[in-house]
Amino acid sequence: MREYVFTIEYDRGVDPIADVFIDHPEAIARSVACNVVGEDMWRIDRFSGPEHAIDALEELVLDANRCNECPEGACDSYREHELLETSPTTATVYTYRQGIDACPALPYPASEHLGPGLVFETRRRGNEYVWRILTRDGTGAGELFDHVRESFPDTIGISLSQTGDPTHWGDGDDDRDELPYEQRAALEAAVDAGYYQTPRECTLAEVAEDAGIPRSTLQYRLQNAETWLATEFTEGCLDVDDEVPERAP
């Protein structure tokens, strides 16, 4: 098995969905599932971010008149979308597409050049749209890169940023995106400011001031985030059903 990572970079004004992520760098999207068989594709995407970003993304992503994968937003494939779950700061969207051979985006050319049995994982943040592709062998990636590079306009950058053995497939790394948006933003602000360094490089009040929220609000969100992280770690690494051996006297 081999893993290829394609990074697509957008300039502002090229794609309206990309513009939402550029304007709101704290927003994140990742695919929960993404599958291609023949000329059909279906996927589930989860979006997390501030309320106004989620509102804008829902309006764009659920529009069946535009292609969410095409570099220029239009192709002849059939598209249907359904909003599975939504909250002020999250949205989960199911997408089914038919006739993707008419679409210049990455999924169909990948199946053509890399062969069957592909597994896709995507992640969007800022101006980057990252595709991780797990394939059965290591041939065809160069031809795929050349094909996609020729299909994309010059205003969109694309790079084959990593090749190598498969890493982090199925290990739950992306579960951190399930952390509520406000708590994730608070945790990121504290980490970036050095609050968790030893010794600490700032106070909680300084992090709150930089984030533009009350200190009590920041503390509450950090406490909830820390509880969530601790719970996720213990549930993932410890089997609560295991019997604890008695300690010798």
Side-chain angles (χ1 to χ4, degrees), residues 19 52 59 84 136 145 173 175 180 187 200 221 235 248:
D19 285 349
H52 40 290
E59 182 178 356
L84 301 180
R136 294 163 55 227
F145 175 80
D173 275 359
D175 287 346
L187 196 61
R200 283 179 172 162
R221 292 176 180 176
E235 288 182 351

Side-chain angles (χ1 to χ4, degrees), residues 8-158:
I8 301 171
E9 296 181 280
Y10 291 87
D11 291 334
R12 188 185 302 276
V14 174
D15 178 82
I17 293 179
D19 285 349
V20 175
F21 287 100
I22 292 172
D23 292 339
H24 305 282
E26 65 274 39
I28 292 176
R30 67 179 178 92
S31 57
V32 180
C34 186
N35 305 279
V36 175
V37 175
E39 298 174 4
D40 291 357
M41 173 182 176
W42 60 99
R43 59 187 292 171
I44 298 175
D45 292 278
R46 184 166 179 82
F47 301 87
S48 175
E51 185 172 352
H52 40 290
I54 297 301
D55 290 342
L57 287 169
E58 283 186 10
E59 182 178 356
L60 291 166
V61 171
L62 295 173
D63 183 1
N65 293 318
R66 68 180 313 278
C67 174
N68 297 329
E69 305 297 335
C70 292
E72 296 179 314
C75 73
D76 294 330
S77 66
Y78 168 79
R79 300 171 289 273
E80 62 182 59
H81 311 285
E82 183 172 343
L83 185 63
L84 301 180
E85 296 178 347
T86 186
S87 76
T89 58
T90 64
T92 303
V93 177
Y94 167 84
T95 297
Y96 172 72
R97 297 181 57 206
Q98 192 176 57
I100 62 171
D101 57 317
C103 179
L106 188 60
Y108 184 76
S111 66
E112 287 286 284
H113 289 278
L114 300 179
L118 303 181
V119 178
F120 297 92
E121 180 183 88
T122 69
R123 184 178 177 87
R124 298 190 76 153
R125 189 168 193 179
N127 73 327
E128 290 188 346
Y129 189 5
V130 179
W131 286 76
R132 294 176 65 211
I133 305 174
L134 187 64
T135 180
R136 294 163 55 227
D137 60 48
T139 61
E143 292 83 356
L144 172 60
F145 175 80
D146 292 340
H147 175 94
V148 176
R149 178 61 277 172
E150 292 174 2
S151 302
F152 278 40
D154 293 337
T155 51
I156 299 177
I158 181 168

